[in-house]
Every structure is written in C-alpha cells, then in structure tokens.
Amino acid sequence: MTPRRRRDGPGPGTGRDRARDRGRARREKGKRRETGLRSVAGQVFALEALIALLVIVAAVFVTFYQERRDTERDARARSLAVAEALANAPGIDAALASPDPTARLQDEAEAIRRATRLDFIAILGPDGMRYTDSQPDLIGRRAVGDLSRAAVDGESYTEIFEGRRTTRCGPWCPW
C-alpha cells in the first residue's frame, strides 16, 4: 500500500483555487447578468401581473354591478307583488271608505310588513295622504313621489328612492 498524498487545506480544492475564485468574482462584479425589471423576462412578468390584476378588478366590478342589479330587480318584484296583493285583498275597499281607515288598516298592514320582511308598507288615499305607515308619525302626511300614474292611469309600478338609512324600492298600486 502506498501512502496518500496530503492536500493543502480542508475540503476539495486548494487554497490557491479559492483565491483564484475570489479574484474572478471581483473582476466579474461589473459584468452582472441582467435580472429584475431591466431584463425582458422581468418586463414580461410585470406585464402579465398587471394584466392579471386588471382582469381581477374588472371581474369584481362586474360581479358587484350584477349583484346590485339583481337585488334591485328582486326588491321591485317582491314589493310590487305585496302591494298588488294588499290592494286586491278582500275588505280593503270597505276599510278605505270607512270614516277612520287608519284604525282598520294599520295593525293589518304592520302584520303583513313583518310577515313579508319588507322595510315599510304605507297605504295611501287617492290624494296621497297616508292612512297607514311603518312609522306612525308619518300617518296623515302626504307621500312624496309620482302618484299620478297609479291614481289617474291605474298603473302599478315601482320607484327607487333614497331612504333615511338606505336605498329603498317603493311600489305604487291603485286600489
């Protein structure tokens, strides 16, 4: 068996190899490879990220807009259905022709409002005077809105208006 030769320093390579590598690293310091946004790959990545962000923002906006439109359409349909059912309910004509329509209709209108989970139900006379309302302090006051279509033309329709707390849908229905 022949004795092994001893190397200079620990690990692979010699001390001279390491010194040579350090010198090479110093010389190549000014010749760095292009990385980050300066390179074409970095610019393409930034453009792809920007496009993805724009697509996500557009999708969120479209989803929000569609949800709002669908919610408004559902509110219109639901509130108009309740208004038409109430206008055609048996005994409503007799109650409205009575000397005190508020006394005969307020409790029933409130019960219907709670059962249907609507924000308000107001029963109005042909002149726009409130006979019932979810807020009792408004009873006896004239309603705001275009009553002519329901009173004169006999047409059922809905209006969207800004309420005290939120946007509301108000149906108008002739009785």
Side-chain angles (χ1 to χ4, degrees), residues 53-74:
L53 180 67
L54 289 174
V55 167
I56 290 169
V57 168
V60 167
F61 176 75
V62 167
T63 302
F64 175 76
Y65 179 74
Q66 284 178 341
E67 182 65 28
R68 184 174 177 166
R69 189 187 64 209
D70 291 347
T71 301
E72 184 178 304
R73 185 188 65 229
D74 292 345

Side-chain angles (χ1 to χ4, degrees), residues 5-16 18:
R5 288 187 160 172
R6 194 166 172 213
R7 293 186 175 182
D8 292 334
T14 64
R16 274 187 247 134
R18 279 185 253 128

Side-chain angles (χ1 to χ4, degrees), residues 31-102:
K31 301 179 187 176
R32 284 192 191 160
R33 271 190 7 208
E34 291 290 322
T35 59
L37 288 179
R38 292 185 215 156
S39 70
V40 174
Q43 291 175 358
V44 169
F45 175 75
L47 182 62
E48 287 176 350
L50 180 66
I51 289 171
L53 180 67
L54 289 174
V55 167
I56 290 169
V57 168
V60 167
F61 176 75
V62 167
T63 302
F64 175 76
Y65 179 74
Q66 284 178 341
E67 182 65 28
R68 184 174 177 166
R69 189 187 64 209
D70 291 347
T71 301
E72 184 178 304
R73 185 188 65 229
D74 292 345
R76 284 180 184 265
R78 194 167 145 230
S79 61
L80 190 59
V82 171
E84 287 177 340
L86 189 58
N88 295 320
I92 194 81
D93 291 333
L96 290 170
S98 72
D100 189 10
T102 300

Side-chain angles (χ1 to χ4, degrees), residues 17 20 85 105-106 136 145 152 154-155:
D17 292 339
R20 188 177 52 227
L105 294 172
Q106 178 65 22
V152 176
E155 180 183 348

